[in-house]
Amino acid sequence: MAEQGAWWREGIFYQIYPRSFQDSDGDGVGDLTGIIHRLPHLLTLGVDAIWLSPIFTSPMADFGYDIADYTGIDPLFGTMDDFDALVKAAHDGGLKVILDLVPNHTSDQHPWFREARRSRDDPRRDWYIWRDPAAGGGPPNNWLSEFGGSAWAFDSKAGQYYYHAFLAQQPDLNWRNPAVRAAIANVMRFWLRKGVDGFRVDVIWHLIKDAAFRDNPVNPDHHAGRPPHEQLLPRYSADQPEVHEVVAELRAVIDEFDDRVLIGEIYLPLERLMTYYGKDLTGAHLPFNFALLSAPWHARDIETIIADYDAALPPGAWPNWVLGNHDRPRVASRVGTEQARVAAMLLLTLRGTPTLYYGDEIAMHQVAVSPEQVCDPFEKNVPGIGVGRDGCRTPMQWSALPQAGFTHASPWLPIADDFTHENVVNLSADRRSILNLYRALIRLRKQHRALVTGSYRPVATEGDLLLYRRDGDGEVITVALNLGGEPVSLATAGSGLNGEILLSTSLDRHHERIAGTLDLRGNEGVVIGRAT
């Protein structure tokens, strides 16, 4: 069962994309020492845990998601001593440290794969997924890579194909092999013994494939402008029933250590997502809930998403919410700069663990990256339809100094052209900035237990207004969010909305009494509190 009062239930996670957070050595790429340098920002912000995208030894074909050594630090990011220093500094400041675990695939430069491709008789051969050509020649089946083209790469030396769900440089491990499971379990123990507080597991739903390698069916809803791999439904290449045994094994390793967390990256429909909590909650503590990443930004749609998610949770399971990550367009660009403030209030007042993406606290927007500046292999392989992820991975905007205070060199990705005014230093000095709103929301969440452990109850309303209550610890907190640009007015008599504004997205209505009528400006949200 989910532990009552566990830190991962009550804390706030903050995702760092290390390449883009802070460069300390002048090579234009962020690193571990840079993260240490910027920990004071995170402590001032008030988050409780940092999640680092991969920092392991890698050829960087997919910027660290192609791992050549699971227990090494890539020199681009620093040394193991730098990592140990980061963990100590974070823990000294009260921050937990979460690492990315990428167990679905390795780099083709990993020693395991180099051994596996030597011959069909090599002991490592079955650590990866090899198949003979189809009867008439060509790939064994119709499975497609998520990064474009066939998911099968031909190895001429052995006359077989190997499977790669992503790049050809990222061969998939064979999770039906017990030796693979044992090896990754030992990787987890290595980092857990070094003091990391858990893992976010990359593409966890991909780990087991159909044993018969049946062709995937055609997707009848695919249309032009969508990624080519969506032409097929991944019925046999992902989300197989046996994957839950694997997830339970990963969780069992986590449970060998005290107070650790297992988070799963899962892009699946709601009913499938819920299965990753596992039987009797022995799966992932937090299967990532990405519903808000692609939601239409309308009050009734959001209301339905929250209700459906809450209703689908297994008994005792703990919810979580995400507004942005390294694979999806920035929230400020998706919903607009003004609504980004409303989105922040939504994220930090819903029931469940929130995860922030670096830069969202200053409303960084999706940066247009010119073709000659593109780094993302997905965009290079599937150009012209907007799948590139570079625009949400641009360097953090710290100050108005050259290169936004991120580096003294040429940055690995372009910096947004608004960095001279949209940066941490400037926004810290602006009492009503979105950065100070985030800080205030996090303080409010920590001050009012109802916002952390209280129940969630929707309040019926219409139009662009989203209303809900958080009840607990002798307090009722009502959140009223105007998801539209026009002012709204709501009669509060008999509705239980009367009380005092604890915080508004405009940061100018603190302590205002609400009695009779609640008036909201366009793009405004408020948190109202009253004792029960």
Side-chain angles (χ1 to χ4, degrees), residues 292 297-299 302 306 323 331-332 335-350 360 363 434 437-438 441 464-468 479-486 503-506 520-527:
L292 294 179
W297 202 250
H298 303 295
I302 300 295
I306 298 169
L323 275 180
V331 62
V335 306
T337 300
E338 292 181 311
Q339 277 293 314
R341 301 174 75 101
V342 176
M345 184 168 280
L346 174 70
L347 177 69
L348 289 162
T349 59
L350 282 173
D360 281 353
I434 189 169
L437 172 62
Y438 265 98
L441 281 164
D464 292 324
L465 192 59
L466 179 65
L467 281 174
Y468 52 91
V479 181
L481 305 174
N482 185 358
L483 273 65
E486 297 299 320
L503 187 65
S504 70
T505 54
S506 52
L520 291 177
R521 291 168 284 202
N523 306 304
E524 184 180 39
V526 296
V527 179

Coordinates of all heavy atoms in Angstrom, one line a residue, residues 292 297-299 302 306 323 331-332 335-350 360 363 434 437-438 441 464-468 479-486 503-506 520-527:
L292 N -2.5 16.5 -18.5 CA -2.5 17.9 -18.7 C -1.6 18.4 -19.9 O -1.7 19.5 -20.3 CB -2.2 18.7 -17.4 CG -3.2 18.5 -16.3 CD1 -2.7 19.3 -15.1 CD2 -4.5 19.0 -16.7
W297 N -7.3 23.4 -23.4 CA -7.2 24.3 -22.2 C -8.6 25.0 -22.0 O -8.7 26.2 -22.2 CB -6.1 25.3 -22.3 CG -5.7 25.8 -21.0 CD1 -5.9 27.1 -20.5 CD2 -5.1 25.1 -19.9 NE1 -5.4 27.2 -19.2 CE2 -4.9 26.0 -18.8 CE3 -4.6 23.8 -19.8 CZ2 -4.4 25.6 -17.6 CZ3 -4.1 23.4 -18.6 CH2 -3.9 24.3 -17.5
H298 N -9.6 24.1 -21.7 CA -10.9 24.6 -21.4 C -11.4 24.1 -20.1 O -11.1 22.9 -19.7 CB -11.9 24.2 -22.5 CG -11.5 24.6 -23.9 ND1 -11.4 26.0 -24.3 CD2 -11.1 23.9 -25.0 CE1 -11.0 26.0 -25.5 NE2 -10.7 24.8 -26.0
A299 N -12.2 24.9 -19.3 CA -12.5 24.5 -18.0 C -13.2 23.1 -17.9 O -12.9 22.3 -17.1 CB -13.4 25.6 -17.4
I302 N -10.8 20.2 -18.6 CA -9.9 20.0 -17.5 C -10.7 19.3 -16.3 O -10.2 18.4 -15.7 CB -9.3 21.3 -17.0 CG1 -8.5 21.9 -18.2 CG2 -8.4 21.1 -15.8 CD1 -7.3 21.1 -18.6
I306 N -9.7 15.7 -14.6 CA -9.5 15.5 -13.2 C -10.4 14.4 -12.6 O -10.0 13.5 -11.8 CB -9.6 16.8 -12.4 CG1 -8.6 17.8 -12.9 CG2 -9.5 16.6 -10.9 CD1 -8.9 19.3 -12.4
L323 N 2.9 19.4 -15.8 CA 2.5 20.4 -16.8 C 3.5 20.5 -17.9 O 3.2 21.0 -19.0 CB 2.4 21.8 -16.1 CG 1.1 22.2 -15.5 CD1 1.3 23.6 -14.9 CD2 0.0 22.1 -16.5
V331 N 4.6 24.8 -21.4 CA 3.3 25.1 -21.1 C 2.9 26.6 -21.4 O 1.8 26.9 -21.8 CB 3.0 24.8 -19.6 CG1 3.9 25.6 -18.6 CG2 1.5 25.0 -19.2
A332 N 3.9 27.5 -21.2 CA 3.6 28.9 -21.5 C 3.3 29.1 -23.0 O 2.5 30.0 -23.3 CB 4.8 29.8 -21.1
V335 N -0.5 27.2 -23.5 CA -1.7 27.9 -23.0 C -1.7 29.4 -23.0 O -2.7 30.1 -22.8 CB -2.0 27.4 -21.6 CG1 -2.1 25.9 -21.5 CG2 -1.0 27.9 -20.6
G336 N -0.5 30.0 -23.3 CA -0.3 31.4 -23.3 C 0.3 31.9 -22.0 O 0.1 31.3 -21.0
T337 N 1.0 33.0 -22.1 CA 1.7 33.5 -20.9 C 0.8 33.8 -19.8 O 1.1 33.5 -18.6 CB 2.5 34.8 -21.3 OG1 3.5 34.4 -22.3 CG2 3.3 35.3 -20.1
E338 N -0.4 34.4 -20.0 CA -1.3 34.8 -19.0 C -1.9 33.5 -18.3 O -2.0 33.5 -17.1 CB -2.4 35.7 -19.5 CG -1.9 37.1 -19.9 CD -3.1 37.9 -20.4 OE1 -3.8 37.4 -21.3 OE2 -3.2 39.1 -20.0
Q339 N -2.3 32.6 -19.1 CA -2.8 31.3 -18.5 C -1.8 30.5 -17.9 O -2.1 29.6 -17.1 CB -3.6 30.5 -19.6 CG -5.0 31.0 -19.9 CD -5.9 30.8 -18.7 OE1 -6.0 29.7 -18.1 NE2 -6.7 31.8 -18.3
A340 N -0.5 30.7 -18.2 CA 0.5 29.9 -17.5 C 0.5 30.1 -16.0 O 0.8 29.2 -15.2 CB 1.9 30.3 -18.0
R341 N 0.0 31.3 -15.6 CA -0.1 31.6 -14.1 C -1.3 30.8 -13.6 O -1.2 30.2 -12.4 CB -0.3 33.1 -13.9 CG 0.8 34.0 -14.4 CD 0.4 35.4 -14.3 NE 0.6 35.9 -12.9 CZ 1.6 36.6 -12.4 NH1 2.6 36.9 -13.2 NH2 1.6 37.0 -11.1
V342 N -2.3 30.7 -14.3 CA -3.5 29.9 -13.9 C -3.1 28.4 -13.8 O -3.5 27.7 -12.9 CB -4.7 30.1 -14.8 CG1 -5.9 29.2 -14.4 CG2 -5.1 31.6 -14.8
A343 N -2.3 28.0 -14.8 CA -1.9 26.6 -14.9 C -1.0 26.3 -13.7 O -1.1 25.2 -13.1 CB -1.1 26.3 -16.2
A344 N -0.2 27.2 -13.2 CA 0.7 27.0 -12.1 C -0.2 26.8 -10.8 O 0.1 25.9 -10.0 CB 1.6 28.2 -11.9
M345 N -1.3 27.6 -10.7 CA -2.2 27.4 -9.5 C -2.9 26.1 -9.6 O -3.1 25.4 -8.6 CB -3.2 28.6 -9.5 CG -4.1 28.6 -8.3 SD -5.0 30.1 -8.0 CE -3.7 31.1 -7.2
L346 N -3.3 25.7 -10.8 CA -3.9 24.4 -10.9 C -3.0 23.3 -10.5 O -3.3 22.4 -9.6 CB -4.3 24.2 -12.4 CG -4.9 22.8 -12.7 CD1 -6.3 22.6 -12.1 CD2 -4.9 22.6 -14.3
L347 N -1.8 23.3 -11.0 CA -0.8 22.2 -10.7 C -0.5 22.1 -9.2 O -0.5 21.0 -8.7 CB 0.5 22.5 -11.4 CG 1.7 21.5 -11.2 CD1 1.4 20.1 -11.8 CD2 3.0 22.0 -11.7
L348 N -0.4 23.2 -8.5 CA 0.0 23.2 -7.1 C -1.1 23.2 -6.1 O -0.9 23.3 -4.9 CB 1.0 24.4 -6.9 CG 2.3 24.2 -7.6 CD1 3.1 25.5 -7.7 CD2 3.2 23.2 -6.9
T349 N -2.3 23.1 -6.6 CA -3.5 23.0 -5.7 C -4.3 21.7 -5.9 O -5.2 21.4 -5.1 CB -4.4 24.2 -5.8 OG1 -4.9 24.3 -7.1 CG2 -3.7 25.5 -5.4
L350 N -4.0 20.9 -6.9 CA -4.7 19.7 -7.1 C -4.2 18.6 -6.1 O -3.1 18.7 -5.5 CB -4.4 19.1 -8.5 CG -5.2 19.8 -9.6 CD1 -4.7 19.3 -11.0 CD2 -6.7 19.5 -9.5
D360 N 9.8 26.5 -16.2 CA 8.4 26.8 -16.2 C 8.1 27.8 -15.1 O 7.1 28.6 -15.3 CB 7.5 25.6 -16.0 CG 7.4 24.7 -17.3 OD1 7.8 25.2 -18.4 OD2 6.8 23.6 -17.2
A363 N 8.1 31.0 -16.8 CA 7.3 31.0 -18.0 C 8.2 31.0 -19.3 O 7.9 31.6 -20.3 CB 6.4 32.1 -18.0
I434 N 5.6 35.8 -12.3 CA 5.2 34.4 -12.2 C 6.2 33.6 -11.4 O 5.8 32.7 -10.7 CB 5.1 33.8 -13.7 CG1 4.5 32.4 -13.5 CG2 6.5 33.7 -14.3 CD1 4.1 31.8 -14.9
L437 N 5.0 34.1 -8.0 CA 3.7 33.4 -7.9 C 4.0 31.9 -7.5 O 3.4 31.3 -6.6 CB 2.9 33.5 -9.1 CG 1.7 32.5 -9.2 CD1 0.7 32.9 -8.1 CD2 1.0 32.6 -10.6
Y438 N 5.0 31.3 -8.3 CA 5.3 29.9 -8.0 C 5.8 29.8 -6.5 O 5.5 28.8 -5.8 CB 6.4 29.4 -9.0 CG 5.9 28.7 -10.2 CD1 5.7 29.3 -11.4 CD2 5.5 27.3 -10.1 CE1 5.2 28.6 -12.5 CE2 5.0 26.6 -11.1 CZ 4.8 27.3 -12.3 OH 4.3 26.6 -13.4
L441 N 2.8 30.0 -4.2 CA 2.0 28.8 -4.3 C 2.6 27.7 -3.5 O 1.9 26.9 -2.8 CB 1.8 28.4 -5.8 CG 0.7 29.2 -6.6 CD1 0.9 29.0 -8.1 CD2 -0.7 28.8 -6.1
D464 N -16.0 29.3 -18.5 CA -14.5 29.2 -18.4 C -14.0 29.0 -17.0 O -12.8 29.0 -16.7 CB -13.9 30.5 -19.0 CG -14.0 30.6 -20.5 OD1 -14.0 29.6 -21.2 OD2 -14.2 31.7 -21.0
L465 N -15.0 28.9 -16.0 CA -14.6 28.8 -14.6 C -14.5 27.4 -14.2 O -15.3 26.5 -14.4 CB -15.7 29.5 -13.8 CG -15.4 29.8 -12.3 CD1 -14.1 30.7 -12.2 CD2 -16.6 30.4 -11.6
L466 N -13.3 27.1 -13.5 CA -13.1 25.8 -12.9 C -13.0 26.0 -11.4 O -12.3 26.8 -10.9 CB -11.8 25.3 -13.4 CG -11.3 23.9 -12.9 CD1 -12.3 22.8 -13.3 CD2 -9.9 23.6 -13.4
L467 N -13.9 25.2 -10.7 CA -14.0 25.3 -9.2 C -13.8 24.0 -8.6 O -14.4 23.0 -9.1 CB -15.3 25.9 -8.8 CG -15.6 27.4 -8.9 CD1 -17.1 27.6 -8.6 CD2 -14.7 28.2 -8.0
Y468 N -13.0 23.9 -7.5 CA -12.9 22.7 -6.7 C -12.5 23.1 -5.3 O -12.0 24.1 -5.0 CB -12.0 21.7 -7.3 CG -10.6 22.2 -7.7 CD1 -9.5 22.1 -6.8 CD2 -10.3 22.7 -8.9 CE1 -8.3 22.6 -7.1 CE2 -9.1 23.2 -9.3 CZ -8.0 23.1 -8.3 OH -6.8 23.5 -8.7
V479 N -10.6 26.5 -4.7 CA -9.7 27.1 -5.8 C -10.7 27.5 -6.9 O -11.5 26.6 -7.4 CB -8.7 26.0 -6.3 CG1 -7.8 26.6 -7.4 CG2 -7.8 25.6 -5.1
A480 N -10.6 28.7 -7.4 CA -11.4 29.2 -8.5 C -10.5 29.7 -9.6 O -9.7 30.6 -9.4 CB -12.3 30.3 -8.0
L481 N -10.6 29.1 -10.7 CA -9.7 29.4 -11.9 C -10.5 29.9 -13.1 O -11.4 29.2 -13.5 CB -8.8 28.2 -12.2 CG -8.0 27.5 -11.1 CD1 -7.4 26.3 -11.6 CD2 -7.0 28.5 -10.6
N482 N -10.1 31.0 -13.6 CA -10.8 31.5 -14.8 C -9.9 31.2 -16.0 O -8.8 31.8 -16.2 CB -11.0 33.1 -14.7 CG -11.7 33.6 -15.9 OD1 -12.1 32.9 -16.8 ND2 -12.0 34.9 -15.9
L483 N -10.3 30.2 -16.7 CA -9.5 29.7 -17.9 C -9.7 30.5 -19.1 O -9.3 30.2 -20.2 CB -9.7 28.3 -18.1 CG -8.8 27.3 -17.3 CD1 -9.1 27.4 -15.8 CD2 -8.9 25.9 -17.8
G484 N -10.5 31.6 -19.0 CA -10.8 32.5 -20.1 C -10.2 33.9 -19.9 O -9.7 34.2 -18.8
G485 N -10.3 34.7 -21.0 CA -9.8 36.0 -20.9 C -10.7 37.1 -20.5 O -10.4 38.2 -20.3
E486 N -12.0 36.7 -20.3 CA -13.0 37.7 -19.9 C -13.3 37.6 -18.4 O -13.3 36.5 -17.8 CB -14.3 37.5 -20.7 CG -14.2 37.7 -22.2 CD -13.7 39.1 -22.5 OE1 -14.2 40.0 -21.9 OE2 -12.9 39.3 -23.4
L503 N -4.5 33.6 -1.7 CA -3.5 33.9 -2.8 C -4.3 34.1 -4.1 O -5.3 33.4 -4.4 CB -2.5 32.7 -3.0 CG -1.3 33.0 -3.9 CD1 -0.4 34.1 -3.4 CD2 -0.5 31.7 -4.1
S504 N -3.8 35.0 -4.9 CA -4.4 35.2 -6.3 C -3.2 35.1 -7.3 O -2.1 35.4 -6.9 CB -5.1 36.5 -6.4 OG -4.2 37.6 -6.4
T505 N -3.5 34.7 -8.5 CA -2.5 34.6 -9.5 C -1.9 36.0 -9.8 O -0.8 36.1 -10.3 CB -3.0 34.0 -10.8 OG1 -4.2 34.7 -11.2 CG2 -3.4 32.5 -10.6
S506 N -2.7 37.0 -9.5 CA -2.2 38.4 -9.8 C -1.4 38.9 -8.6 O -0.8 40.0 -8.7 CB -3.4 39.3 -10.0 OG -4.3 39.2 -9.0
L520 N -13.7 37.5 -10.7 CA -12.4 37.2 -11.2 C -12.1 37.9 -12.5 O -13.0 38.0 -13.3 CB -12.3 35.7 -11.5 CG -12.3 34.7 -10.3 CD1 -12.3 33.3 -10.8 CD2 -11.1 35.0 -9.4
R521 N -10.9 38.5 -12.6 CA -10.5 39.1 -13.8 C -10.2 38.0 -14.8 O -10.1 36.8 -14.5 CB -9.3 39.9 -13.6 CG -9.5 41.2 -12.8 CD -8.3 41.9 -12.3 NE -7.7 41.2 -11.2 CZ -6.9 41.8 -10.3 NH1 -6.5 43.0 -10.4 NH2 -6.3 41.1 -9.3
G522 N -10.1 38.4 -16.1 CA -9.7 37.4 -17.1 C -8.4 36.8 -16.7 O -7.5 37.5 -16.2
N523 N -8.2 35.5 -17.0 CA -6.9 34.8 -16.7 C -6.4 34.9 -15.3 O -5.3 35.1 -15.0 CB -5.8 35.4 -17.6 CG -6.2 35.4 -19.1 OD1 -6.5 34.3 -19.7 ND2 -6.2 36.6 -19.7
E524 N -7.4 34.9 -14.4 CA -7.1 35.0 -13.0 C -7.6 33.8 -12.2 O -8.6 33.2 -12.5 CB -7.7 36.3 -12.3 CG -7.3 36.5 -10.9 CD -7.9 37.7 -10.3 OE1 -9.0 38.0 -10.6 OE2 -7.2 38.4 -9.5
G525 N -6.8 33.4 -11.2 CA -7.3 32.4 -10.3 C -7.1 32.8 -8.8 O -6.2 33.7 -8.6
V526 N -7.8 32.3 -7.9 CA -7.7 32.6 -6.5 C -7.8 31.3 -5.7 O -8.5 30.4 -6.1 CB -8.7 33.6 -6.0 CG1 -8.5 35.0 -6.7 CG2 -10.1 33.1 -6.2
V527 N -7.2 31.4 -4.5 CA -7.3 30.3 -3.5 C -8.0 30.9 -2.3 O -7.5 31.9 -1.7 CB -6.0 29.7 -3.1 CG1 -6.2 28.6 -2.1 CG2 -5.3 29.1 -4.3

